[in-house]
Amino acid sequence: MALEFAGGNQPPDVTPPETTHDIVGEAQNHWYSGPVTVNLKASDSESKVAATYYSINNGDVQTGTSIDIREEGQHVIHYWSKDEFGNVEEKKEVGINIDLTAPVINFSGGDGTVYGIDEIVTISCNGEDVLSGIDTSTCKEISAPAYQLGIGNHTFKAEGVDVAGNKTTVSITITVTVNFESLAGLTESFLHDNGNKEKAVSYLSKLAAAKAAEERGNTKVRDSQLLAFMNHVKAQTNKQITDEQAGYLISFAGELMK
């Protein structure tokens, strides 16, 4: 026997409920950088709402009006309601993207790497973010002769921001040093660049003598040989080497006298 309702054979309500959602959380570029709560609100103008349902990523159907999402990733929430007369709303959906992890900044040169003055400092940098992706990055390629950086520590810093707004800053420090071998190498390099490679012997012999004296513990002879090297550099400035190159060689030779 069919059910009868007052006023005829049709139920008083044949219209399903209407459910809306409200998201609690701050989004940037459609990504959230923290946990999100989705509140569901159902209404029915002709009867009462019996229940509100939802599922996350097509998982198990659950009943409720408040959904907490705390895990990273892309989530699709389907939700709908049913009224007391059995009218079921068509499913609606809302996407929630969460990225809780800051980007990763990678430098090719390891922190604490030591370079001689005759070497080229080459450091690459790149940013990665597996979820929302990199939005901005200050990474840049570094390629410079170590002697131009100068003796001592040098710190390079890079910042990355992902699409969700998570930020990370990474820095590495390298050290530029000078010894007799690297000063000899730089001297040869300068002479070669100027077409005077065959003139290197008179420079290198003085550095070799200074090194041998230091190994014997004779700093007086070491310094006299380094001074002879510096005087030779001065004498050949703007002849075999440029004025700028001479400034570097004299300065580095002075470091070896300390």
Side-chain angles (χ1 to χ4, degrees):
M1 177 184 295
L3 293 175
E4 293 187 3
F5 298 90
N9 291 327
Q10 292 297 320
D13 183 0
V14 294
T15 304
E18 182 77 19
T19 308
T20 59
H21 71 267
D22 177 62
I23 301 173
V24 180
E26 291 189 16
Q28 180 169 304
N29 302 312
H30 306 294
W31 281 85
Y32 295 86
S33 59
V36 172
T37 298
V38 179
N39 293 315
L40 304 176
K41 183 178 181 180
S43 61
D44 193 305
S45 60
E46 299 180 34
S47 62
K48 294 181 179 180
V49 175
T52 297
Y53 306 95
Y54 67 89
S55 67
I56 303 174
N57 294 333
N58 294 315
D60 295 338
V61 175
Q62 303 178 62
T63 303
T65 58
S66 183
I67 309 165
D68 290 323
I69 304 177
R70 300 182 177 277
E71 294 183 357
E72 289 187 312
Q74 295 178 291
H75 311 276
V76 177
I77 300 173
H78 290 97
Y79 61 91
W80 65 99
S81 296
K82 179 177 71 173
D83 66 21
E84 61 182 347
F85 286 98
N87 299 302
V88 180
E89 178 184 15
E90 288 189 13
K91 292 181 180 179
K92 296 178 179 178
E93 71 174 51
V94 58
I96 301 294
N97 303 320
I98 298 179
D99 185 351
L100 306 175
T101 305
V104 175
I105 300 293
N106 296 305
F107 282 100
S108 64
D111 189 43
T113 301
V114 178
Y115 293 86
I117 57 171
D118 59 338
E119 296 183 273
I120 301 295
V121 176
T122 302
I123 300 172
S124 63
C125 173
N126 72 290
E128 297 178 319
D129 190 274
V130 297
L131 279 177
S132 60
I134 293 291
D135 186 29
T136 62
S137 171
T138 60
C139 274
K140 62 181 180 179
E141 302 294 317
I142 299 165
S143 182
Y147 73 84
Q148 289 184 351
L149 296 178
I151 302 300
N153 296 328
H154 303 275
T155 298
F156 303 97
K157 182 184 295 184
E159 178 184 279
V161 182
D162 65 21
V163 173
N166 299 301
K167 181 172 69 175
T168 189
T169 302
V170 176
S171 64
I172 63 169
T173 299
I174 66 165
T175 302
V176 177
T177 63
V178 60
N179 56 25
F180 292 100
E181 290 80 3
S182 61
L183 181 55
L186 183 62
T187 303
E188 283 189 289
S189 177
F190 285 164
L191 291 168
H192 180 272
D193 292 344
N194 299 331
N196 294 309
K197 185 178 180 179
E198 72 282 358
K199 306 293 186 180
V201 174
S202 58
Y203 297 84
L204 303 187
S205 61
K206 295 174 178 61
L207 293 177
K211 179 185 177 183
E214 182 170 89
E215 290 174 345
R216 296 192 304 270
N218 192 333
T219 56
K220 184 176 181 179
V221 173
R222 177 202 67 187
D223 291 350
S224 67
Q225 289 296 323
L226 285 171
L227 285 172
F229 169 83
M230 295 163 73
N231 288 331
H232 188 63
V233 169
K234 292 176 182 177
Q236 298 303 322
T237 298
N238 293 323
K239 297 176 183 177
Q240 297 174 358
I241 56 176
T242 68
D243 183 67
E244 181 182 26
Q245 292 169 341
Y248 283 119
L249 295 180
I250 292 170
S251 174
F252 295 140
E255 289 290 326
L256 294 177
M257 298 174 68
K258 295 179 179 179

